């Protein structure tokens, strides 16, 4: 399917684990094979954190050369096809890890955390972002 999308002219193909059940070995194997078959293509990963493996999966993707990772402020989102699946990988959690590893992102972690914190009251529930939960006062 990915080869077909590339043949149709897609600039980037994002491989998603929208129910959040992948483990790092699966991410590395699949993304590694895709990069081998189409090294000129731009690949991305879209990872949910349902079982707490999203950041580990990001590391696996980075190790095989994937450098485009989807995330969402505060970890907002979900999967309408998988009841109980949690939201997307929280941008703050991703930035904290990447910045801690010395990877430049050009994104201000504090600004994203502030925006996410401002969203929470409107949603009526705490955000799943571990970073926001650990550095912001709880209400």
């Amino acid at each position: 399917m990915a080869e077909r999308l590339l043949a149709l002219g897609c600039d980037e193909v994002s491989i998603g684990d929208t129910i959040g059940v992948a483990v790092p070995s699966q991410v590395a194997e699949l993304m590694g094979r895709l990069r081998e078959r189409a090294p000129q293509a731009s690949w991305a990963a879209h990872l949910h954190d349902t079982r707490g493996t999203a950041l580990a999966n990001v590391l696996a993707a980075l190790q095989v050369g994937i450098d485009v990772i989807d995330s969402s402020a505060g970890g907002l989102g979900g999967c309408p096809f998988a009841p109980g699946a949690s939201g997307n990988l929280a941008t703050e959690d991703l930035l904290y890890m990447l910045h801690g590893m010395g990877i430049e992102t050009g994104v201000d972690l504090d600004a994203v955390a502030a925006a996410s914190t401002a969203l929470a009251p409107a949603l009526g529930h705490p955000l799943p972002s571990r970073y926001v939960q650990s550095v912001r006062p709880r209400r």
Side-chain angles (χ1 to χ4, degrees):
M1 178 62 73
E3 287 175 333
R4 188 168 179 204
L5 289 170
L6 293 169
L8 289 169
C10 288
D11 292 329
E12 178 180 273
V13 176
S14 181
I15 303 300
D17 176 27
T18 57
I19 60 173
V21 298
V23 297
S25 58
Q26 293 170 319
V27 171
E29 180 183 346
L30 176 62
M31 299 303 280
R33 284 193 305 175
L34 290 171
R35 286 204 21 97
E36 285 174 7
R37 290 188 70 146
Q40 77 290 353
S42 178
W43 298 101
H46 178 89
L47 306 162
H48 284 230
D49 203 30
T50 304
R51 301 212 170 126
T53 58
L55 286 174
N57 289 337
V58 167
L59 283 175
L62 290 171
Q63 289 173 339
V64 297
I66 306 303
D67 61 1
V68 177
I69 308 293
D70 294 340
S71 63
S72 70
L76 294 174
C79 180
F81 309 110
S86 68
N88 295 295
L89 170 60
T91 302
E92 304 84 359
D93 297 344
L94 176 61
L95 291 172
Y96 178 78
M97 182 184 80
L98 294 175
H99 292 174
M101 294 171 62
I103 298 172
E104 295 283 332
T105 65
V107 180
D108 183 336
L109 171 58
D110 291 331
V112 174
S116 295
T117 301
L119 288 171
L123 298 172
H125 61 79
L127 297 171
S129 168
R130 289 174 181 91
Y131 182 84
V132 167
Q133 291 173 15
S134 70
V135 299
R136 300 287 178 195
R138 295 173 195 242
R139 295 178 191 242

